[in-house]
Amino acid sequence: MITAGIDLGATYSKVVILDDGKVVGKGISKTTLEPEESVEKALNAALQEAKIDKGQVERTGVTGSGRRAIKDADVVATDVTADARGAYHLDKEVKTVIDVGGEDARAVKVGENGKVINSAVNDKCAAGAGAFVEAMSRAMQLSLEEFAEASLKSTQEIPINAQCAIFAESEVVSLISDETPREDICRAVHDGIADRITSMAKRVLVEEKVGLMGGAVMNKGLVESIREGLGLDPIILPDPLFVSALGIALMAADQED
Amino acid sequence: MINDFIDVYKNRHDYAKDWKKKNPDSKVVGYMCSYFPEELFYAAGMLPVRILGSHEPQNVTEPYIFGMYCPFSRDVLAQGLQGHYDYLDAVSTAYPCMHLGQAFDSWTLHVTQKKFYVDMPNRVQTPYAVPFLTGRLEETKQEIEEWIGREITDSDLKEAINVYNENRALLREIYEMRKADDVPLTGTECMYITTASLFMDKKDANKLLKETIENELKGRKAKTADDTRLMVLGSENDDIKFLNMVEEFSAVIVTDDHCTGSRYFWNPVEEQDDPIQAIAQRYIDRPLCPQRDYPERKRLPYLLDMARDWNVAGIIALQQKFCDPHELDKVALLDWFKENDIPTIYLELDVTVPIGQFKIRVEALLERLREDELW
Amino acid sequence: MVEKKYKTAPLKSWDKAKEIRLNIYKEIAEAKSKGKVLLGGGAESLIALPTGFDYAMLVGEPYGAAISYLAKSDPDEYMKYVEASEHAGYPRDLCAYMRNYIGSILRDKYVFGGPFPKIDFYLQAGFCDTHSKWYQAVSDITGRPYFSLDLVPFDWEIEGESEKTKDLKRKYIVDQIHEAIAWMEKQTGREFNDETFIQGVLNECESTSLWAKVCIANRAIPAPLDEKTMLSLYVLAVIGRPRNDVVEFYRELLDEVEDRVANQIAANPYETARIITDSQPPWFALDLFRLLETYGVVSVGAHYTFGLSGGWEYDEENKTWEAGKTPQEKGVEVKTRDEAANVLADWWLRTGTVCRGVRHSGAGKIQRIMDMVDRWKVDGAIVHLNRGCEGTSLGQMDIVSSLLERGLPTMTYEGNHADPREYDENRTFARIESFMETMGLKQLYEFKKGE
């Protein structure tokens, strides 16, 4: 059976095409003010990769914060459920998933057969995830890749506010004006964000194995800080941007007629 | 000497562990709020040490304490959860406030240590507060006696009161020296001294204080009459980095009202026949934390007297973010100093502070004060 | 269409509850013209204190909540209240009830119409530190005198507090009750009537005990009441528990609820799952209970809803809580002011679960929550991380962690009980939706806002 999984996120729309449980195509596009168009674009890219016509898709599942914009899906579920299902499919031993997106980070505790045991997301005072790192890299006039690389070369830890992004930002500004080595500032930003993410993750009672997913885990510097913050050795799930889309595609395939 | 206090401040855990080695039969008791009646524990041969935060970001408290509780309470709890105080024989508090009380509840839930809890009344302005606290302290004394298996005699108590009173008098002497035009020590140095004394055996602290006063402070000029005289006040504050920044601008902090500073030691235990009641009276009469300053506002005139006695040009009020008792005084306090013509700025402390942002506020205050001087 | 499992019926007591509540607010507005003493103060405890006078009392917390309702009907008007308090410099993270209340005074606007009532004096018997200073700030603004009684609560039973400590606490409160009465006589120039005071005290005990009994009736399956309804019913105890009509109301309500239990009349005809919540709800956004209903979920109550004005007595033998036995039930005769003061102090110290929960969290508060999970047969918990109330959020995170360790599905959402700016409905609903998935529940019918 051919199914499509759509993850309509705040920043990106992601689509996975499954043929009898195997990934045959993936597509991504920036989410715009016209979410249906964004999904269409990602879907077409995925179908093209899979060499499949739209008409051949038997079932569609949709997840992500914008999921309500998509009508006529066969299965609709929240990211939490889709994250768990996708992660479980990729690695049966994963018990905790940490999804680091642009604005939010989320932790999901995964139980038997990929079912959710519990979940947590960042609260108000500790908001911000990937987008904060991007903003800081812009403030330092570095590309995100350069920022991540620099952080890995840092030789000292500088404590910055782990809870409040506004405070953290003004501390970064102070560090820049104090001519603190660039590498150390980059690391301080990653450590600050990682502290917030791991603090939140601990609320679900983290158990190994821990799987990381979401766009921001492609930043090696941030992953290193998360690793230190957890005191555990998490794995990065394959295609970390598409885990939710994969999960919802699997749920669509599972659904009984 | 001042450097010795700095050393204790920076290595407080080593100090307590060394003390334990030297006094193998004695116990170390950590406490969370300056309303804790240390004399009772000292009389039982113990070392009471105040538990403060580390000013380091951490990721261990979120499953146990709500993010709206003040940074200090979260930092304190982190110390327990991270095992930095595993050497304590007991953890304790007098009822502080909801936030620090939460840190205590959570600490005692997750760290296995003997605990002592004293119901400190909030409304110290009622005549019934002293008998209530006296009763509770008698019970605490009994609890300690059961724990250590021996009686705490009146003479033990009087001895402890004497040592603590001497400590208070010596610290007060240093504060008196700060009234001079040429101040013998900076506010930062003074903060090291007062805060380090929170961790020290008062006998050691007293010896060191005497030496410091005699051999280091007398005749010393750390700051001159040209430096702008400031007072800091507010909630728990051992933010050395911040004080240091302020004093780099030709300013000098000459006094304070913090529970890690003057509020801790200001008034002695006055002698009474019943030493327990004398101790209770001392804690009821001490300079007020806003948590306990109601219904009448007694704290404001007290602060004004202090500001005048120390000839202060301006005030920096600092409170822990989310601290309700301080926030409930904020409007009244700012109005009060405005009416009394003492320029005041109000800042919020977090575990780490955005020094650059605060620098701008402090510079603006100092510019304003120096303009006033020109006119 | 999913089949209904149980029958439902509207609550007969509903209209009477509404009527008494309106009467109380009317009495406040008319108090001065009728020559009554008019005081302001907190709902927390001992509100029988002024019953020795012919009086009316504006109770601050529900009043602050009433202002927050405006956010739904007239958001611009609501903003004027909070902005008034914020412009005057009151920090935004203080108790939201209090900020709304202060805004109302600064605007000289009574939310039920007309100028803010001319209060003679303020009286607080507080166990919440913030509320103990609430009327100090009000007194700064209005210049009206203020008395604050310091209620030092008992610790939770599990902590094994000594009888001597308990006696000290009782005595400390009794002494202050006498002090408060003398103070009120001085402020009003009127004589305190011991007879009406004694009746007020007995009523305060009985109303709160009856409310606990109503909550206990909700252990039944199906639950006869859902929390949203309970929140409209408990408010009478909050604002008027020493009143004769309020006691009478709770007697009738208990009869009706027990009758519903006997006849299996449900709050939710589907009752697919039972949950508890924690802390006050966002008062202006009770729709979240409606959303839960569409999944067949009934919230059977909360530590807060049960305990703020509920009298719960610990049963040492079975390690659980039952409705407090009133002095009347125990055959205790109360003849003097001092006896009444002792009864009142003892009642709050022994039976006030929210009262102690604002001072002590730890193992005792967790025990209370677990007791609710067991005895109200609860399948999940929704915890409101309430940024507007640090008192009721004491111990919340430890409770969440304990519930998760026990394996009970538990979700949190951030909000504020009386400041809508801190509550994000879309985000909260999204969380509820994933929580429902986690609990394996399907939506039974579409949710329509505002119904």
Side-chain angles (χ1 to χ4, degrees):
Chain A
M1 179 174 22
I2 295 171
T3 57
I6 301 167
D7 171 11
L8 181 45
T11 326
Y12 289 103
S13 303
K14 286 96 36 181
V15 174
V16 165
I17 306 291
L18 285 186
D19 186 352
D20 284 337
K22 264 187 68 184
V23 178
V24 291
K26 298 191 303 276
I28 184 164
S29 75
K30 199 130 181 104
T31 303
T32 62
L33 291 175
E34 304 293 342
E36 282 169 311
E37 273 175 30
S38 313
V39 168
E40 195 66 32
K41 231 168 143 182
L43 180 62
N44 286 337
L47 289 169
Q48 206 170 4
E49 191 184 292
K51 302 192 178 70
I52 282 172
D53 282 342
K54 203 173 170 183
Q56 288 174 271
V57 176
E58 290 161 76
R59 272 187 212 145
T60 308
V62 55
T63 185
S65 56
R67 63 188 173 279
R68 287 186 202 290
I70 306 303
K71 306 286 177 225
D72 306 325
D74 299 288
V75 175
V76 184
T78 62
D79 314 56
V80 171
T81 308
D83 281 1
R85 185 70 181 86
Y88 178 77
H89 178 82
L90 292 167
D91 188 334
K92 305 261 176 303
E93 287 167 20
V94 166
K95 295 216 170 73
T96 312
V97 182
I98 302 178
D99 179 353
V100 189
E103 298 301 335
D104 274 335
R106 177 184 310 119
V108 184
K109 191 78 174 283
V110 186
E112 267 174 51
N113 303 324
K115 286 225 165 70
V116 177
I117 298 178
N118 67 66
S119 61
V121 295
N122 276 138
D123 288 318
K124 212 167 242 164
C125 266
F132 179 73
V133 179
E134 280 177 39
M136 291 302 102
S137 72
R138 276 196 301 275
M140 293 181 66
Q141 299 174 338
L142 293 174
S143 74
L144 202 52
E145 290 72 28
E146 289 166 336
F147 192 90
E149 285 299 327
S151 142
L152 292 169
K153 290 186 194 129
S154 154
T155 51
Q156 60 165 339
E157 275 182 55
I158 301 170
I160 65 164
N161 196 298
Q163 201 191 18
C164 171
I166 310 286
F167 258 39
E169 189 170 345
S170 66
E171 283 182 53
V172 170
V173 173
S174 300
L175 291 175
I176 296 173
S177 67
D178 281 354
E179 294 172 14
T180 309
R182 199 166 81 173
E183 295 78 17
D184 298 333
I185 303 179
C186 299
R187 177 171 171 191
V189 168
H190 288 144
D191 285 350
I193 288 288
D195 269 343
R196 263 182 254 171
I197 293 167
T198 53
S199 272
M200 175 275 299
K202 284 178 181 180
R203 279 167 52 178
V204 302
L205 315 175
V206 174
E207 260 184 275
E208 285 194 290
K209 189 187 232 179
V210 179
L212 303 180
M213 58 169 286
V217 305
M218 292 192 279
N219 173 340
K220 285 183 197 147
L222 179 60
V223 168
E224 187 49 36
S225 295
I226 293 175
R227 192 187 304 275
E228 268 178 45
L230 284 175
L232 299 171
D233 207 9
I235 58 153
I236 297 174
L237 291 167
D239 283 327
L241 259 173
F242 290 93
V243 179
S244 271
L246 171 66
I248 196 71
L250 290 162
M251 287 168 70
D254 289 348
Q255 199 197 29
E256 286 166 30
D257 288 312
Chain B
M1 306 304 239
I2 295 172
N3 279 331
D4 296 310
F5 287 106
I6 295 177
D7 195 45
V8 174
Y9 175 84
K10 289 186 173 157
N11 305 296
R12 61 194 78 165
H13 300 304
D14 293 338
Y15 176 87
K17 286 174 193 166
D18 282 351
W19 186 92
K20 235 175 136 166
K21 262 186 216 147
K22 284 183 215 148
N23 302 276
D25 301 327
S26 300
K27 299 182 191 300
V28 180
V29 177
Y31 69 91
M32 291 189 182
C33 167
S34 62
Y35 275 92
F36 183 69
E38 286 176 66
E39 290 90 335
L40 287 185
F41 292 79
Y42 196 76
M46 297 181 200
L47 173 67
V49 294
R50 174 124 190 230
I51 299 168
L52 298 179
S54 66
H55 293 283
E56 280 163 16
Q58 46 82 17
N59 66 3
V60 296
T61 57
E62 193 165 320
Y64 312 111
I65 192 167
F66 182 28
M68 277 289 282
Y69 279 55
C70 80
F72 178 63
S73 63
R74 281 181 277 127
D75 200 359
V76 163
L77 176 58
Q79 303 311 304
L81 297 176
Q82 290 170 328
H84 297 320
Y85 280 94
D86 281 354
Y87 58 86
L88 293 181
D89 296 288
V91 64
S92 57
T93 196
Y95 177 63
C97 51
M98 294 190 293
H99 291 193
L100 207 47
Q102 160 79 80
F104 178 77
D105 287 349
S106 218
W107 180 310
T108 52
L109 195 62
H110 302 290
V111 185
T112 314
Q113 273 165 344
K114 164 90 182 154
K115 65 174 172 179
F116 285 94
Y117 178 87
V118 180
D119 293 284
M120 176 71 207
N122 275 337
R123 195 176 151 234
V124 292
Q125 295 181 13
T126 170
Y128 304 108
V130 172
F132 174 71
L133 184 59
T134 306
R136 288 297 287 122
L137 295 188
E138 278 163 1
E139 283 187 280
T140 305
K141 174 174 163 271
Q142 212 179 333
E143 218 182 312
I144 300 171
E145 289 170 338
E146 279 161 20
W147 187 39
I148 59 171
R150 72 171 175 83
E151 195 195 341
I152 302 169
T153 64
D154 275 10
S155 87
D156 292 335
L157 286 167
K158 282 180 182 161
E159 167 66 13
I161 290 171
N162 286 340
V163 173
Y164 270 74
N165 276 354
E166 186 183 16
N167 183 251
R168 288 164 182 145
L170 288 165
L171 287 169
R172 187 81 186 246
E173 195 178 331
I174 291 178
Y175 274 58
E176 290 297 321
M177 294 172 94
R178 301 166 83 190
K179 282 181 175 169
D181 287 342
D182 297 328
V183 191
L185 76 170
T186 64
T188 313
E189 288 170 328
C190 192
M191 181 181 274
Y192 276 123
I193 294 175
T194 51
T195 312
S197 0
L198 300 171
F199 312 134
M200 293 176 80
D201 184 327
K202 296 295 187 260
K203 275 184 197 146
D204 293 350
N206 292 350
K207 200 167 148 246
L208 199 52
L209 283 168
K210 278 184 224 164
E211 276 173 33
T212 308
I213 293 169
E214 280 309 313
N215 304 332
E216 191 168 11
L217 297 181
K218 281 198 176 153
R220 187 174 184 245
K221 285 184 189 178
K223 289 277 186 176
T224 70
D226 294 336
D227 294 298
T228 308
R229 299 174 70 87
L230 297 173
M231 172 174 175
V232 287
L233 60 86
S235 48
E236 187 280 336
N237 176 17
D238 67 322
D239 211 311
I240 299 283
K241 213 169 126 192
F242 175 79
L243 256 67
N244 207 16
M245 178 271 284
V246 173
E247 294 192 312
E248 277 172 3
F249 292 110
S250 299
V252 57
I253 291 155
V254 292
T255 189
D256 73 80
D257 180 67
H258 288 296
C259 62
T260 31
S262 75
R263 279 213 295 277
Y264 170 63
F265 65 81
W266 210 243
N267 66 326
V269 177
E270 309 274 358
E271 208 180 315
Q272 294 186 24
D273 289 343
D274 174 3
I276 298 280
Q277 187 175 314
I279 293 169
Q281 187 80 50
R282 187 264 163 194
Y283 285 90
I284 296 296
D285 290 346
R286 55 159 271 188
L288 291 152
C289 169
Q291 157 83 3
R292 301 191 149 84
D293 187 27
Y294 66 84
E296 196 189 325
R297 290 199 182 277
K298 293 192 169 173
R299 185 169 163 254
L300 300 182
Y302 166 82
L303 293 176
L304 181 63
D305 285 349
M306 185 185 248
R308 286 186 174 146
D309 290 348
W310 269 260
N311 192 23
V312 159
I315 291 174
I316 303 174
L318 298 137
Q319 67 152 81
Q320 291 289 327
K321 192 159 86 169
F322 305 136
C323 171
D324 276 13
H326 278 277
E327 290 182 343
L328 282 153
D329 277 10
K330 185 180 176 185
V331 173
L333 183 128
L334 290 173
D335 284 352
W336 174 256
F337 285 118
K338 199 171 178 189
E339 280 162 29
N340 286 289
D341 268 341
I342 304 183
T344 302
I345 55 168
Y346 202 100
L347 304 172
E348 280 185 9
L349 294 171
D350 204 328
V351 171
T352 56
V353 299
I355 211 83
Q357 204 183 48
F358 282 5
K359 228 180 220 170
I360 298 168
R361 300 281 310 276
V362 170
E363 276 186 286
L365 171 73
L366 290 168
E367 272 168 25
R368 189 177 148 204
L369 296 173
R370 285 165 195 160
E371 252 170 47
D372 288 351
E373 277 166 30
L374 288 176
W375 292 101
Chain C
M1 196 66 196
V2 192
E3 210 174 308
K4 292 182 178 175
K5 281 201 283 189
Y6 307 106
K7 57 191 171 207
T8 54
L11 198 71
K12 286 177 226 144
S13 310
W14 188 266
D15 289 338
K16 193 167 179 196
K18 216 169 155 182
E19 187 191 315
I20 297 176
R21 182 172 169 269
L22 282 175
N23 274 345
I24 292 176
Y25 281 113
K26 210 171 122 203
E27 281 174 26
I28 294 163
E30 293 170 352
K32 295 310 282 179
S33 65
K34 295 202 166 155
K36 289 184 183 179
V37 171
L38 179 60
L39 70 146
E44 281 170 29
S45 64
L46 314 180
I47 66 168
L49 264 180
T51 52
F53 301 107
D54 183 17
Y55 80 108
M57 179 171 182
L58 176 63
V59 177
E61 298 89 334
Y63 183 74
I67 292 174
S68 80
Y69 294 144
L70 279 178
K72 249 178 122 176
S73 56
D74 191 351
D76 290 345
E77 178 65 11
Y78 165 74
M79 282 307 293
K80 288 179 189 159
Y81 286 91
V82 272
E83 279 173 355
S85 105
E86 277 159 26
H87 289 166
Y90 295 94
R92 207 173 145 162
D93 57 276
L94 281 172
C95 168
Y97 287 151
M98 174 189 151
R99 287 185 289 115
N100 292 348
Y101 188 98
I102 286 180
S104 180
I105 291 180
L106 290 169
R107 295 184 69 206
D108 193 20
K109 219 170 155 91
Y110 192 46
V111 75
F112 304 111
F116 193 84
K118 296 269 174 266
I119 302 281
D120 294 315
F121 63 84
Y122 290 96
L123 175 73
Q124 172 75 306
F127 45 78
C128 163
D129 299 341
T130 301
H131 285 198
S132 294
K133 278 175 81 83
W134 170 337
Y135 298 97
Q136 181 176 43
V138 169
S139 179
D140 287 342
I141 300 166
T142 61
R144 301 310 303 154
Y146 148 60
F147 187 94
S148 183
L149 188 147
D150 184 16
L151 196 140
V152 180
F154 283 175
D155 206 335
W156 295 94
E157 285 77 5
I158 201 173
E159 301 292 342
E161 198 167 40
S162 77
E163 285 308 312
K164 201 180 156 201
T165 304
K166 290 180 184 170
D167 287 343
L168 275 168
K169 290 182 176 177
R170 254 186 298 262
K171 183 170 179 340
Y172 182 46
I173 294 168
V174 169
D175 285 339
Q176 290 181 83
I177 289 176
H178 288 297
E179 191 190 358
I181 291 172
W183 182 87
M184 288 189 292
E185 283 189 320
K186 205 175 137 201
Q187 298 308 319
T188 57
R190 299 183 193 196
E191 203 182 325
F192 191 79
N193 181 328
D194 288 342
E195 259 175 55
T196 54
F197 174 58
I198 290 165
Q199 191 54 52
V201 167
L202 292 175
N203 285 351
E204 183 157 4
C205 299
E206 192 173 349
S207 299
T208 49
S209 174
L210 283 164
W211 177 248
K213 285 175 184 157
V214 170
C215 297
I216 285 170
N218 228 28
R219 287 175 183 161
I221 295 178
L225 298 172
D226 70 304
E227 199 188 352
K228 186 171 182 287
T229 306
M230 294 175 88
L231 290 166
S232 301
L233 301 171
Y234 97 122
V235 75
L236 291 185
V238 177
I239 60 180
R241 55 191 178 264
R243 295 166 63 103
N244 293 327
D245 56 354
V246 170
V247 175
E248 193 47 48
F249 168 77
Y250 283 115
R251 285 186 193 136
E252 286 169 24
L253 175 67
L254 180 62
D255 284 345
E256 186 184 355
V257 174
E258 283 178 345
D259 186 62
R260 285 167 79 92
V261 172
N263 292 295
Q264 291 238 312
I265 297 173
N268 186 314
Y270 305 101
E271 195 170 303
T272 53
R274 299 158 66 88
I275 60 151
I276 49 170
T277 69
D278 192 53
S279 189
Q280 301 95 318
W283 288 109
F284 44 85
L286 297 178
D287 265 359
L288 72 92
F289 289 105
R290 290 270 170 263
L291 176 64
L292 291 169
E293 269 173 27
T294 65
Y295 292 84
V297 173
V298 56
S299 176
V300 294
H303 166 65
Y304 166 82
T305 315
F306 285 5
L308 183 74
S309 293
W312 297 88
E313 200 154 357
Y314 192 63
D315 173 353
E316 195 63 56
E317 202 178 313
N318 299 305
K319 310 280 178 238
T320 184
W321 284 262
E322 297 292 351
K325 269 209 160 78
T326 61
Q328 301 92 307
E329 284 169 318
K330 284 182 179 168
V332 176
E333 277 199 68
V334 187
K335 285 181 182 153
T336 65
R337 182 190 294 185
D338 189 54
E339 283 169 1
N342 272 285
V343 163
L344 189 59
D346 179 65
W347 182 258
W348 274 96
L349 288 171
R350 271 190 313 108
T351 75
T353 49
V354 165
C355 162
R356 66 185 62 180
V358 167
R359 184 65 55 95
H360 300 285
S361 50
K365 193 165 175 187
I366 291 169
Q367 186 198 358
R368 174 58 176 154
I369 302 292
M370 295 305 169
D371 182 67
M372 288 175 58
V373 171
D374 292 333
R375 301 204 69 197
W376 276 261
K377 302 160 200 90
V378 165
D379 308 302
I382 296 185
V383 174
H384 176 205
L385 297 174
N386 183 352
R387 295 171 64 86
C389 178
E390 286 151 40
T392 58
S393 53
L394 192 86
Q396 270 192 324
M397 295 308 293
D398 268 325
I399 287 167
V400 171
S401 297
S402 303
L403 289 169
L404 290 176
E405 270 164 29
R406 185 189 154 129
L408 193 86
T410 302
M411 76 158 250
T412 63
Y413 69 99
E414 255 192 335
N416 188 311
H417 61 300
D419 187 341
R421 295 170 300 173
E422 294 207 296
Y423 172 72
D424 182 337
E425 187 167 76
N426 289 331
R427 216 174 134 92
T428 306
F429 278 25
R431 281 207 197 183
I432 290 178
E433 209 178 314
S434 19
F435 185 56
M436 294 292 104
E437 286 174 9
T438 302
M439 288 182 73
L441 296 168
K442 293 223 156 36
Q443 199 163 26
L444 306 175
Y445 55 92
E446 206 186 330
F447 169 75
K448 284 189 189 118
K449 229 179 127 47
E451 276 182 8

